[in-house]
Amino acid sequence: MALHPTLKATYASRAETATHPLTAHLFKLMGLKASNLCLSADVPTARELLYFADKIGPSIVVLKTHHDMVSNWDFHPQTGTGARLASLARKHGFLIFEDRKFGDIGNTVEMQYTGGSARIIEWAHIVNVNMVPGKASVTSLANAASRWFERYPYEVRTSVTVGTPTADDSDDPDSSTRGDDANDDVKNVRRIDEGRKGSIVSVTTVTQQYEPANSPRLSKNMAGGDEVLFAGIEEAPLTRGLLILAQMSSQGNFMNKEYTQACVEAAREHKSFVMGFVSQESLNSEPDDDFIHMTPGCQLPPEDEERNGGVHGDGKGQQYNTPQKIIGVCGADIVIVGRGILKAGDPQEEAERYRSKAWKAYLERVR
């Protein structure tokens, strides 16, 4: 069977053709940071979670969380743990993936996603679903995200500038519509008639822009200073994304081929919401498929033993693979690493080792 085109396409080229705004943003981040690493931050306290998000943030493009295992999660919508994670995500340039694995009837997963004390949709760019209850769970989450987006509070910013126009202002037919995300530009021009010839003496420009009410461009961070935004990339789109849990790395799991195929079908039916899969291999098979794939169970042997052998399981059903196999052989896009980094003597240095190995495997794949 011929290789799917996405296996040889660069992340930069896939960013240009991606139909999901968050997928395009993520591919851009990957190219900018030369990283296809996700940290699975499975830690018991909010303090540890925020610490690792800050220290490992420069090496990753995705931070995977389990908010319900954090004993002192602060649920305040503006200053709580989720809000502080979102601030760190902007600072270091990564997306937040809450590994909630929604797995209930449609009405229940909608409420779990948008309501409750956690209000996951407010701070997590990405969530995932275990599709055992059927395709309705995907449809319900998509509808919930759409309604949330429509109700999201926006502020209208109006600015007025007065000045003397240049020759470019009068000659440029598009000058009246300039501005960053401007929805409406109105120019009032005063002229003094000089016989048959008029001259412009001043221009007043009124610009209206619509931005999310809690955009970092309109707000301050927890320390009271200007919000920091990772250099080289714009703010992440407000659009939310879903990953479907299509395959697992745990030994003896029940996700058979029929289940995985149903996951792929559901993804194709909801391309405006589904970004891709948590899987063990690339599931892109149709010409129009361009789903992103994230694979857990990634581990490297200790640096001094790297030449001698592979990696094994954790004795609890988890099976491990190297970045080279996950990215280079199985065709995944992002490796998910947890304990391999968190338990290291120097987590920052180890995160860089994983990032380097995973990125090298990607470069070799697309040659």
Side-chain angles (χ1 to χ4, degrees):
M1 182 183 292
L3 290 177
H4 193 271
T6 54
L7 294 175
K8 284 295 184 181
T10 64
Y11 295 145
S13 65
R14 292 175 70 182
E16 295 176 357
T17 58
T19 56
H20 196 300
L22 208 54
T23 303
H25 179 83
L26 181 52
F27 278 133
K28 289 177 185 177
L29 272 179
M30 293 161 74
L32 181 65
K33 298 183 74 173
S35 174
N36 48 355
L37 176 62
C38 167
L39 175 66
S40 181
D42 297 340
V43 293
T45 68
R47 181 178 180 180
E48 290 174 272
L49 176 60
L50 294 169
Y51 172 83
F52 282 115
D54 193 22
K55 295 301 180 183
I56 310 299
S59 298
I60 63 174
V61 288
V62 178
L63 178 76
K64 186 170 78 71
T65 60
H66 279 290
H67 89 275
D68 53 358
M69 72 164 56
V70 177
S71 60
N72 57 339
W73 186 280
D74 183 346
F75 294 103
H76 192 284
Q78 276 79 45
T79 61
T81 307
R84 295 176 69 183
L85 282 176
S87 180
L88 290 171
R90 287 189 287 266
K91 174 183 176 181
H92 294 302
F94 61 80
L95 297 182
I96 303 169
F97 164 25
E98 167 56 24
D99 192 5
R100 179 60 179 79
K101 295 185 182 73
F102 294 106
D104 214 313
I105 61 171
N107 185 64
T108 299
V109 298
E110 283 190 36
M111 296 172 67
Q112 291 171 327
Y113 186 28
T114 62
S117 55
R119 296 188 65 81
I120 295 169
I121 197 171
E122 300 286 348
W123 49 269
H125 304 96
I126 305 168
V127 292
N128 62 348
V129 63
N130 183 334
M131 223 182 66
V132 171
K135 293 182 180 180
S137 56
V138 177
T139 303
S140 295
L141 289 169
N143 291 338
S146 178
R147 288 195 299 270
W148 172 82
F149 184 82
E150 290 172 359
R151 295 195 301 265
Y152 198 86
Y154 279 79
E155 287 186 1
V156 180
R157 304 177 65 199
T158 302
S159 61
V160 179
T161 58
V162 180
T164 303
T166 64
D168 290 341
D169 288 328
S170 57
D171 294 338
D172 182 1
D174 295 324
S175 62
S176 64
T177 57
R178 288 199 195 112
D180 180 24
D181 297 326
N183 284 340
D184 187 24
D185 269 350
V186 181
K187 286 192 176 183
N188 296 320
V189 182
R190 292 179 56 215
R191 295 177 181 270
I192 297 179
D193 289 333
E194 297 176 353
R196 296 174 59 188
K197 183 178 179 182
S199 62
I200 302 174
V201 296
S202 69
V203 174
T204 301
T205 303
V206 179
T207 303
Q208 289 186 323
Q209 300 179 102
Y210 295 82
E211 284 194 75
N214 67 346
S215 165
R217 289 185 287 267
L218 301 177
S219 61
K220 303 294 182 181
N221 66 11
M222 252 56 78
D226 291 334
E227 181 78 32
V228 179
L229 190 63
F230 181 75
I233 196 77
E234 68 276 11
E235 187 178 357
L238 194 60
T239 311
R240 292 324 194 204
L242 181 72
L243 297 174
I244 299 179
L245 184 60
Q247 297 170 328
M248 293 187 73
S249 56
S250 56
Q251 188 173 15
N253 71 80
F254 298 124
M255 295 182 176
N256 57 24
K257 291 182 179 179
E258 290 75 17
Y259 168 84
T260 299
Q261 183 56 38
C263 292
V264 174
E265 293 170 2
R268 290 172 180 155
E269 293 167 8
H270 295 281
K271 282 190 172 182
S272 62
F273 183 50
V274 178
M275 298 171 65
F277 308 97
V278 175
S279 64
Q280 295 297 296
E281 61 187 339
S282 173
L283 300 175
N284 291 329
S285 58
E286 296 294 329
D288 292 339
D289 288 348
D290 191 15
F291 297 110
I292 197 165
H293 299 78
M294 303 189 193
T295 300
C298 178
Q299 192 168 93
L300 286 169
E303 202 161 6
D304 55 356
E305 300 177 14
E306 208 165 340
R307 291 185 178 180
N308 298 327
V311 291
H312 306 285
D314 65 354
K316 300 179 180 180
Q318 176 66 291
Q319 300 176 101
Y320 292 119
N321 285 305
T322 64
Q324 176 57 45
K325 181 175 181 181
I326 291 172
I327 301 292
V329 178
C330 298
D333 300 301
I334 292 177
V335 296
I336 302 175
V337 184
R339 285 168 284 182
I341 292 173
L342 298 176
K343 302 297 184 182
D346 187 336
Q348 289 175 274
E349 183 178 318
E350 191 69 355
E352 272 299 294
R353 187 164 79 103
Y354 273 94
R355 184 205 61 77
S356 177
K357 295 292 184 182
W359 190 254
K360 181 181 178 182
Y362 152 72
L363 293 177
E364 290 175 349
R365 189 183 80 191
V366 298
R367 280 178 185 168

